[in-house]
Amino acid sequence: MGSTLLAIDVGTLSARAGVFDPNGAPLGSASAAFELLKPLEHHAVYRMDDIWAAVGEAVREAVSLSRRDPREIAGIAFDATSSLAVSATGPRPLDGDADVFCWMDHRGEAEAAEIDETGDRYLDYVGGSVSPEVNLPKLLWLKRRRPEAWARLTGARDLVDELARRATGVDGHSLCGFSCKWPYLPGRGGWRQDLLNRLGIGELPRLGSLSRPPLPVGSVHGRLSTETAEAWRLPPGVPVAVGLIDAEAGTLGVIGKGYAGRINRTLSMISGTSNSYIAFAVEERRITGVWGPNRDAVFPGYWMHEAGQTLAGAALDSVLTHHPAGPRVASAENHIAIAREIIDLLDREGPHLAARRHIVPDWLGNRSPLGDGRTRALVVGLGEETSRRAFLEAYYATARALALQTRHIIEHLNANGYEIDRVAIAGGQLKNPLLVRLYRDALGADLVLSDHPETVLLGTSMVASVAAGWSPDLFAAIDRMAPVQSVVPADASWRTRHDHAYRIYLKLFHLRNEVEAESRMIHAAVADEPAVHTG
C-alpha cells in the first residue's frame, strides 16, 4: 500500500517536489529552475522539455532527501500554473522554439476584448470579462497570427495535464483547468460551441483529446509509466492523480481543518509572482471582476471564485531591479533585508514614510475587482529623487498598495454574498516580514498563518492521497492532513492609519478607471477618422 506521497508543483520559474507522510508532514523537498522566455513584449513562453527536465531533477532529489524507500510511494499528484502547453508536428509552434504559453503571456489582449464584445453566456462565468491570461485568447491569437503553426497543432493542454500525460502516457484533462481556463461550463452545457463558431475557432474542441470528458481532481489520471519511473528512480504503476492549478493546490493546503463548516467566511491567498484569492460557495454567484463561478473546479458540486493581482511579487522584484538606489538584483535575501530596513523606519517614523506616494498596482492589467487586462498602474508622488530613502519609499508604497488592493478585493467579494473574515495565506510572500505586517493590519480581516513550510505542495499531496485511496474525498484529506494554524492579531493603531491610505487608494482607483475609459474613447475616435494626406 505504501506509506508516503509525492507532490510536484510547477511554478512560474521552477519545479518543486516534496515527499509527505500520511498526515501531511514533509519528509523531503527539492526544487529545480527552468527558463522563462520573453522574446517579444507581452510574449512569455517555455520549452516543455526544460520544464520536464526540472521536474525529474526535483523529484529525484526530494525522494533522496526523504530517506524513504521509493517503493513506499503510494500516490503522485501534480499542480502547476495555469500555463498552456501546445503540441505540434514539425518545429515547436511558439516563438523562441517554445511550446508552452506562460500564464502571464498577454499577446491576446485584443482577442480577449473581442470575446468580451460577443456578449456570450461564457462571460457570466469569468466575471464579465475574459482575461488574456486564459486559454482562448492565446489560441485565437495563434490561429489568426500564426496560421501555419495552428495547422500543425496536435493538442492543447493545461500544463498540469501535460505533466500527467508525460508521467503516465495517458492523455486526459482535469476539471479544474476545464472549468477555470477554457470556454467550457460543467453542468451548464459544456463547450460554448456557438461562441467558438462565431470567433472562427469552432474546431477547438476536436483538437487532440479536448473532446474527452474532463476528470475530477483527485481521481486517477493514470499510472506511472515504466519510462518515467526509470528516469525518476521510482517503481512503475504508482497511481497519478488528476491534478489542479497551483493556486487551488495552495488553497487546499491553507484553508484548515473543519473548512466545510466555514466555507463562506474563509478566503485563501496564494502569494507569489502573482496573487490568487480563492473562495467557494454552495450556490452559483456571478461577481464582476472575479473569475468564476467555476463549478466542480476543486470540490464536486461547489462553485469557486478566483480573484487576483496579475503581478504582485513581480512588482516588488521590479522595484529592486529598476530603482537606481536599489540592489538591482531580485533575491529573497534582498527582499528580507529591505523589508527589515523599512520596518525599522516605520517603527521610528510611523505613517510619515511614503505619506505622499500612492499606487494603484495594476502593472499588467487588473484581474480583480475591475477585470480589465488592458489597464495599467497609476503612481502618485513620483519625483526625480534617486536616494536610498526614495528607494525605500518606492518599495513600501508598492507593498502597501498590494495590501490595500487585497482589502478592496475582500470588500468586493463580501458585497456579493460572501462574509469573509479570515484570510489564510500561503506562498513566497510569507517570507517577507513587511508584507506579512501589512496584510496583518490593512486587510480588515483576520490573517491566518499555518505552521507548515510547504503549503502548496501539501495541498497537492492531499490530492495524491485521494488517488491513492487514503482519503475518500478532498474534505476528508484536509481534515486529516491540514497543519496547525494561528490567527495573527492586527495592530489597531496601524489599522486606522491604513484606513486613511485605503480611502486615497479608492479615489485613485476610480480616477484611473475614468481616465482609461476616456483615453480609449479618444483613441477609438481618432482611429475612425480618415487619414489626412499632405504634400
Side-chain angles (χ1 to χ4, degrees), residues 7-11 14-18 29-32 54 58 453-454 457:
I8 303 158
D9 162 50
V10 175
S14 65
R16 191 161 183 82
S29 64
S31 65
E454 300 282 3
L457 282 173

Side-chain angles (χ1 to χ4, degrees), residues 166-477:
R166 291 198 173 206
T168 64
V170 176
D171 200 358
H173 295 270
S174 169
L175 250 174
C176 184
F178 253 49
S179 182
C180 297
K181 305 302 176 183
W182 295 89
Y184 183 94
L185 306 180
R188 296 292 186 270
W191 285 102
R192 294 298 303 147
Q193 191 63 52
D194 289 347
L195 170 64
L196 297 177
N197 291 341
R198 179 174 178 176
L199 295 170
I201 196 170
E203 70 273 28
L204 179 61
R206 299 187 295 275
L207 182 63
S209 63
L210 288 174
S211 61
R212 299 175 187 171
L215 302 169
V217 173
S219 60
V220 176
H221 183 110
R223 294 186 176 272
L224 194 65
S225 69
T226 300
E227 179 183 1
T228 303
E230 289 178 354
W232 290 0
R233 302 169 193 158
L234 300 178
V238 180
V240 176
V242 173
L244 71 176
I245 299 167
D246 56 351
E248 282 78 339
T251 293
L252 294 178
V254 299
I255 49 182
K257 296 180 189 293
Y259 173 69
R262 55 173 188 275
I263 282 180
N264 208 48
R265 295 175 44 215
T266 301
L267 181 73
S268 73
M269 175 180 171
I270 313 305
S271 65
T273 304
S274 63
N275 284 348
S276 293
Y277 309 86
I278 292 179
F280 293 91
V282 295
E283 73 275 4
E284 181 178 349
R285 300 174 187 159
R286 299 175 185 177
I287 306 176
T288 59
V290 177
W291 293 346
N294 304 122
R295 181 176 173 179
D296 304 333
V298 178
F299 303 113
Y302 288 81
W303 296 86
M304 187 187 85
H305 289 97
E306 181 178 356
Q309 291 169 314
T310 299
L311 294 182
L316 291 171
D317 286 346
S318 181
V319 179
L320 292 189
T321 57
H322 292 158
H323 198 284
R328 300 301 183 99
V329 176
S331 66
E333 294 77 15
N334 282 337
H335 279 294
I336 293 171
I338 285 145
R340 288 173 177 164
E341 189 175 351
I342 292 171
I343 289 171
D344 183 60
L345 274 175
L346 290 171
D347 290 341
R348 289 189 279 114
E349 298 185 16
H352 298 293
L353 183 67
R356 297 174 59 191
R357 192 183 294 246
H358 299 275
I359 299 174
V360 181
D362 298 326
W363 308 105
L364 190 61
N366 179 281
R367 196 185 298 176
S368 302
L370 184 62
D372 187 343
R374 298 169 294 169
T375 197
R376 291 298 184 264
L378 175 66
V379 180
V380 174
L382 180 65
E384 65 177 355
E385 299 86 358
T386 59
S387 65
R388 179 71 176 182
R389 168 80 181 207
F391 161 68
L392 295 176
E393 289 195 350
Y395 190 99
Y396 175 63
T398 303
R400 181 180 60 192
L402 295 173
L404 295 177
Q405 190 168 77
T406 300
R407 174 174 172 176
H408 193 185
I409 289 167
I410 293 170
E411 292 185 357
H412 184 60
L413 290 169
N414 285 347
N416 286 276
Y418 282 99
E419 299 173 332
I420 293 163
D421 58 8
R422 294 167 55 92
V423 179
I425 185 171
Q429 292 177 26
L430 277 174
K431 299 175 183 177
N432 187 316
L434 175 64
L435 284 171
V436 172
R437 175 167 163 161
L438 285 164
Y439 292 137
R440 178 196 73 186
D441 298 333
L443 298 187
D446 289 338
L447 183 65
V448 180
L449 303 182
S450 301
D451 70 345
H452 199 287
E454 300 282 3
T455 46
V456 176
L457 282 173
L458 172 63
T460 306
S461 74
M462 293 175 181
V463 175
S465 79
V466 176
W470 291 4
S471 302
D473 56 39
L474 289 171
F475 286 120

